[in-house]
Structures are given as C-alpha cells and as structure tokens.
Amino acid sequence: MVGRRNAAGAQIGAVPAPAADRTSEQLLELVARGDEKAFEALYERVAGTVFGLARAVLRDPHQAEEVAQEVLLEVWRTAPRYDAAKGSARAWISTMAHRRAVDRVRSSQAARNRDDVAATQGERDYDDVVEAVEARLEIERVRHCLDGLTPRQRDAVKLAYYGGHSYPHVADLLKLPLGTVKTRMRDGLIRLRDCLGVGSDA
C-alpha cells in the first residue's frame, strides 16, 4: 500500500500498490477473490513459463499453447485452493502446467493406441472376409468340377471323400465290385484334378 502519513506517522489515504509491484503470491490471493486486474498481471508474469513447460513436454507448439491456456484458466478457477504454506505461487502454477502437459501426452498416446487397435482389428476383419470369400470360391470351384463328372464317378467320389467311407464300404453301398469302384474313383479324381488345375502348370 502507498499513501501519505499524518503527523503521528499513520498512513492516510492509502491506495493499493500497482499490480506489477505485488508478488505472485499476493496476486494469486487477489485472483482468488475474483480480481481480474490481478489475474491479468499474473497472466503476463507466468504465461511464458507455463508455455515453456508445456512445450518441453509436448514438443508441439500448438498443443503447448492449448495446454498453457487451459492451465491459466485453471489458475483463475482454482486460485482459492492455493496454499502459500506449501510453496510459491510459481511452483504451484508450474506443477499444474507440468501435470496437464503430461495428461495431454497420455491422452494422445491412448488415442493413438485406440486407433492402432482399431486398425489392427480392421485388418483382421478384412483377412477373415478374404479367407471366407476364398473358401467359398474354392467350394464353388469343387462343386462345379464335381458337376463335370459322370454320375457314377460323382457318386463314388462323394461317398469316399465327403462321406468318409473307405473304398470297400463304397463298393458295398453302391453294390459294385471293389475294382469297379476303384476305377471310377481313379477316373473321377483325374477329371477333378484337371478341372481344378491341381498339379498342372495352369
């Protein structure tokens, strides 16, 4: 406070000292009471430090600027919580800036991790679809080639390879000699091989 003193030495007509002459702690106390002028003075005093701390953690100047604005807004809102007994105003604000910058890094990393997981899942889903399509196409090719066999060859092949029956059992089911079944199987498999391009240069 500044002002004139009377004959007894008592200060009269005292007026508040300019904000620039106050300590950061005093400014913060005034900010806690809603003093906008004090906040403007404190802002000018610590903004550079807050931005520098955020920039050191984040590297990205645009993100650092956003964090600095968030921190200074938080100073305005939470000034009443400041306890001078626990440290200086600058230390309190610097801690706030560092914490918020680290939170931003963690948030950005978490977002990247989510994107990576989503991308990986997308690749898996794509692979699953491709495999399903390829399997379906393969089934269609086999079915098409089976349709190209004679009815007798097709019956023998289906019983043996799709029914899981042995050649003797196929012979029993078809009421045919085993040699006849083997001949039909051989001829049918040759035609299937040629149709599917198995073992060929195609």
Side-chain angles (χ1 to χ4, degrees), residues 68-102:
Q69 293 298 323
E70 291 171 4
V71 169
L72 291 164
L73 178 60
E74 187 176 356
V75 168
W76 171 256
R77 292 189 300 101
T78 63
R81 300 180 194 172
Y82 168 65
D83 185 353
K86 294 182 179 179
S88 69
R90 280 186 174 275
W92 183 71
I93 295 171
S94 295
T95 298
M96 194 183 298
H98 183 267
R99 183 180 68 244
R100 190 169 283 267
V102 170

Side-chain angles (χ1 to χ4, degrees), residues 6 14 21 25 40 51 56 67 69 81 88 100-101 112 123 125 164 192-193:
N6 60 19
D21 294 339
E25 289 72 25
E40 290 175 8
F51 175 78
V67 167
Q69 293 298 323
R81 300 180 194 172
S88 69
R100 190 169 283 267
R112 283 195 294 271
E123 290 173 2
D125 291 343
L192 277 177
R193 181 196 65 191

